[in-house]
Amino acid sequence: MSESTSNKNNANNPKIDTATLLIKCKDQAGIVQAVSEFIHRYGANIITLDQYSTAHEGGQYFMRLEFALAGLSDIIDNFQASFDHTVAKRYDMDWRLHNNAIKTKVGILVSKFDHALLDLLWRHQRGLLDCEISCVVSNHDDLRQAVENFGIPFHHVPVTKDNKAEAEEQIHQIMAGNDLLVLARYMQILSSDFVDRWPMQIINIHHSFLPAFVGADPYRQAFDKGVKLIGATAHYVTADLDQGPIIEQDVHRVTHRQGVAELRAIGRDVERNVLARAVNWHVQNRVIVAGNKTVVFS
């Protein structure tokens, strides 16, 4: 086949793209039909459709829909404008459309603990995390070599009580262009000004001993108290410390036979798995925030 013939065939057969549509609105009759008919009019094929309503009548409605459409990337602006005018406004929808051909850009912040960070980088390298990790920022230089071994840029931004505002501005500039920030055990409290510039775009991971065991060495405190469960929580970051919408949690049962070191190791294992699931669900557009809760479509 000649090059000109190949180009002509490509023009006649545009690439089939997929997209994810997320919808939140008041539950009412006709939503599924209206969305499905709109998709059909564009000649798209629905791949998956998940929905949830908080009540049998008058509740809040959530939908996640994936569809395939040849040449979607070329017409996506028109598609969105038309959907907004003909469907979204009619049902007063809070909605967004993501072209799956465009990978979510993720920046990671970390301090000295490396378990959550290295797990994310390994999953990303193995193709298990469908995103683009743009860089890692740390307030310590300890993990530079480990990060650069994965071919990821590393930035050292020291943070002290005297330069916090300047450091956060530097971090904000480094992270500009990312769609999501992940706190992989970043042991600094972000200011409300910083968080406000990344609304529902920051995911944090922490042990689930809070608020019982605060401060240093929570696993020692947990051991002294004789806890029977160790857990972790991944959530979106808001101005209220550790109070943002929860995305994922998990626990591991322990006994009196396990010492502080083993409890800490179990906790870190739970943390890295919980964080990886939360990040993966976010980049796959499976999470819809509703107030201070989330709906996560599996």
Side-chain angles (χ1 to χ4, degrees):
M1 182 184 297
S2 68
E3 183 177 349
S4 60
T5 303
S6 176
N7 291 337
K8 182 177 180 181
N9 287 340
N10 289 336
N12 293 335
N13 299 284
K15 179 177 177 289
I16 295 178
D17 294 316
T18 64
T20 303
L21 177 64
L22 296 178
I23 294 171
K24 176 175 63 176
C25 64
K26 181 180 178 182
D27 195 7
Q28 50 198 297
I31 295 174
V32 176
Q33 181 180 358
V35 174
S36 300
E37 285 183 351
F38 179 88
I39 298 291
H40 175 70
R41 284 200 301 273
Y42 267 82
N45 181 47
I46 294 175
I47 303 170
T48 63
L49 193 159
D50 296 298
Q51 57 183 327
Y52 167 69
S53 182
T54 59
H56 293 306
E57 289 187 18
Q60 195 167 27
Y61 178 80
F62 304 87
M63 175 191 287
R64 179 183 186 273
L65 183 149
E66 282 190 79
F67 64 90
L69 177 61
L72 172 64
S73 297
D74 298 327
I75 63 165
I76 195 164
D77 291 340
N78 176 272
F79 184 99
Q80 291 185 101
S82 180
F83 182 83
D84 187 60
H85 177 72
T86 61
V87 180
K89 280 187 169 60
R90 190 195 326 168
Y91 292 97
D92 194 22
M93 293 176 174
D94 181 359
W95 67 283
R96 71 177 188 270
L97 179 71
H98 180 77
N99 184 349
N100 294 339
I102 301 174
K103 290 185 181 294
T104 301
K105 294 188 65 176
V106 178
I108 302 176
L109 287 91
V110 67
S111 290
K112 288 186 176 182
F113 296 121
D114 64 0
H115 56 286
L117 166 71
L118 296 182
D119 185 72
L120 291 174
L121 296 181
W122 179 84
R123 290 172 189 263
H124 177 260
Q125 185 183 68
R126 302 294 292 179
L128 303 175
L129 200 56
D130 190 21
C131 65
E132 176 189 341
I133 296 181
S134 65
C135 66
V136 173
V137 171
S138 178
N139 56 323
H140 300 279
D141 207 41
D142 303 52
L143 300 176
R144 176 182 295 277
Q145 189 60 56
V147 171
E148 291 179 347
N149 285 343
F150 283 90
I152 303 294
F154 180 92
H155 302 273
H156 178 211
V157 181
V159 182
T160 69
K161 63 180 182 179
D162 298 321
N163 79 333
K164 187 176 180 66
E166 293 81 1
E168 286 194 341
E169 180 60 31
Q170 186 178 351
I171 293 170
H172 178 73
Q173 295 299 324
I174 292 171
M175 292 299 188
N178 283 304
D179 306 298
L180 176 70
L181 304 186
V182 179
L183 309 184
R185 295 308 306 272
Y186 182 63
M187 311 305 287
Q188 294 286 325
I189 298 175
L190 297 173
S191 70
S192 57
D193 289 340
F194 185 93
V195 172
D196 287 345
R197 292 195 280 184
W198 297 86
M200 298 304 161
Q201 293 175 282
I202 308 175
I203 294 178
N204 187 31
I205 184 69
H206 60 72
H207 59 76
S208 290
F209 293 144
L210 297 173
F213 306 136
V214 298
D217 208 353
Y219 288 97
R220 167 64 65 179
Q221 298 179 56
F223 173 79
D224 292 341
K225 191 70 174 179
V227 300
K228 300 298 184 275
L229 289 173
I230 286 180
T233 296
H235 64 91
Y236 289 113
V237 176
T238 62
D240 296 323
L241 183 64
D242 294 328
Q243 298 297 311
I246 293 170
I247 307 169
E248 172 64 335
Q249 293 177 298
D250 203 355
V251 295
H252 189 286
R253 184 165 290 280
V254 296
T255 74
H256 60 278
R257 297 181 183 277
Q258 290 154 318
V260 176
E262 191 172 357
L263 296 184
R264 189 176 291 116
I266 292 170
R268 290 176 179 175
D269 193 48
V270 178
E271 286 175 8
R272 65 181 182 83
N273 283 299
V274 168
L275 181 61
R277 289 198 293 270
V279 172
N280 205 31
W281 292 338
H282 179 96
V283 301
Q284 291 178 354
N285 296 288
R286 296 186 178 277
V287 185
I288 300 178
V289 176
N292 203 46
K293 298 173 65 176
T294 62
V295 172
V296 182
F297 289 108
S298 59

